[in-house]
Amino acid sequence: MLVVAALGGNALLRRGEPLTAEAQRANVKIAADSLAEIVRAGHQLVVTHGNGPQVGLLALQGAAYKPDEAYPLDVLGAETEGMIGYIIEQELENALDHDRPVATLLTQVLVDKDDPAFSKPKKFVGPVYDKEEAEIRAEAAGWQIAQDGDKWRRVVPSPKPLEIPDMRVLQLLLEQGVVVICAGGGGIPILRRDDGSMIGIEAVIDKDSASALLASQLGADALLLLTDVDAIYRDFGTDIATPIPELTLNEARKLDLPAGSMRPKMAAAGSFAESGGISGIGQLEDALAILKGGAGTRILPAV
């Protein structure tokens, strides 16, 4: 099968961990060992990943140098694709004993300049802060902020991904048996001008939404949304919470899930299932088992 595996932020940096190269590499090594099992089982693999903490950190570093010359979010997104992709690529090569080519592709993703997300930023980026510190930073840098759990973070626009112009390159790599790492952080957000040329735009695309679009356009058989939660739960947060091993598309759409965490994943999983593929949501360590139906929650394709 052709499998698209989307690594959640926990694959790169667990909540509360320092934003260091060492911490990220240690987590990526765990992720690579799990993903390598999919390849060794005979499947083709495409890997995507989040970049929220990293893109926010780069923005802070740029602002600390010369605030008036800080790079825009699309450029920072490209930087994080290279930085994170490099670590995943290297650790995957190690996990596969260097018997399979692995490559990272900087991936542009087309969005609509009139997307309502540009007027209502909701995507969390960067480190978490206490409310007082977040307000001070927001005032100084012109940020918008929102509450994230018991902390506060910067929020930026997250427009809907519409098209992946680099699709031909991705297909060429897959035809040659390459394990591809792409669309990191949801891809680099771009607009198409009236004359057909492309230009970047300040935004961060939702990684799961971009991964669902990627999987659909590639004609993938399965989309795995890998996180730190072992499954979707019915009656989540109560004493009678129970994991749900399998859902039809209609059942999945009726679930009332948390808006800031599982609901976007379910929306992405449902979108891909609607196109005819199998979606799975669960723990990173269970990637192959989710694919086989032995762990996590699978959303079955539309009939």
Side-chain angles (χ1 to χ4, degrees), residues 203-289:
V204 174
I205 300 170
D206 179 71
K207 171 262 304 175
D208 293 323
S209 182
S211 299
L213 176 65
L214 172 72
S216 296
Q217 293 195 352
L218 281 175
D221 301 288
L223 170 65
L224 302 181
L225 303 176
L226 303 172
T227 180
D228 56 356
V229 178
D230 61 349
I232 294 173
Y233 278 72
R234 201 179 306 279
D235 300 312
F236 182 75
T238 71
D239 292 338
I240 58 170
T242 52
I244 307 171
E246 201 167 81
L247 288 165
T248 66
L249 187 55
N250 286 337
E251 288 171 338
R253 285 174 171 164
K254 292 176 182 177
L255 287 178
D256 184 19
L257 298 170
S261 55
M262 195 56 74
R263 192 183 299 173
K265 284 182 169 49
M266 180 58 79
S271 173
F272 179 66
E274 194 169 31
S275 72
I278 295 173
S279 298
I281 298 175
Q283 285 187 133
L284 171 63
E285 295 84 351
D286 295 332
L288 184 58

Side-chain angles (χ1 to χ4, degrees), residues 11-24:
L12 308 169
L13 197 70
R14 299 181 188 277
R15 193 175 181 88
E17 283 186 332
L19 282 163
T20 63
E22 292 78 9
Q24 291 180 69

Side-chain angles (χ1 to χ4, degrees), residues 53-261:
Q54 292 80 7
V55 77
L57 177 63
L58 288 180
L60 285 172
Q61 291 172 340
Y65 174 57
K66 288 185 177 180
D68 294 337
E69 300 177 13
Y71 284 100
L73 285 172
D74 59 305
V75 176
L76 299 182
E79 288 185 32
T80 60
E81 272 204 271
M83 174 179 69
I84 299 167
Y86 153 67
I87 301 174
I88 297 175
E89 180 178 325
Q90 194 170 70
E91 291 300 336
L92 254 180
E93 289 172 336
N94 291 337
L96 293 168
D97 295 324
H98 302 274
D99 67 353
R100 185 71 60 91
V102 182
T104 302
L105 179 68
L106 298 186
T107 315
Q108 300 175 87
V109 177
L110 187 70
V111 301
D112 183 351
K113 65 180 176 59
D114 296 321
D115 192 301
F118 287 110
S119 61
K120 296 180 180 179
K122 293 181 179 179
K123 178 71 174 176
F124 290 113
V125 298
V128 297
Y129 304 101
D130 292 330
K131 184 179 182 182
E132 182 179 357
E133 183 178 0
E135 289 174 342
I136 292 171
R137 289 180 177 272
E139 178 69 24
W143 291 353
Q144 293 194 48
I145 57 173
Q147 191 165 4
D148 183 13
D150 60 349
K151 299 290 185 178
W152 288 74
R153 294 175 75 186
R154 180 187 179 188
V155 288
V156 301
S158 182
K160 179 182 178 180
L162 301 176
E163 180 187 333
I164 301 173
D166 302 305
M167 189 57 62
R168 285 188 298 171
V169 182
L170 285 166
Q171 290 169 334
L172 286 171
L173 291 169
L174 288 172
E175 287 169 6
Q176 298 303 313
V178 178
V179 175
V180 183
I181 302 155
C182 64
I188 304 163
I190 61 170
L191 302 176
R192 181 179 285 122
R193 296 187 178 112
D194 292 339
D195 64 1
S197 62
M198 305 290 194
I199 186 70
I201 182 77
E202 279 254 83
V204 174
I205 300 170
D206 179 71
K207 171 262 304 175
D208 293 323
S209 182
S211 299
L213 176 65
L214 172 72
S216 296
Q217 293 195 352
L218 281 175
D221 301 288
L223 170 65
L224 302 181
L225 303 176
L226 303 172
T227 180
D228 56 356
V229 178
D230 61 349
I232 294 173
Y233 278 72
R234 201 179 306 279
D235 300 312
F236 182 75
T238 71
D239 292 338
I240 58 170
T242 52
I244 307 171
E246 201 167 81
L247 288 165
T248 66
L249 187 55
N250 286 337
E251 288 171 338
R253 285 174 171 164
K254 292 176 182 177
L255 287 178
D256 184 19
L257 298 170
S261 55

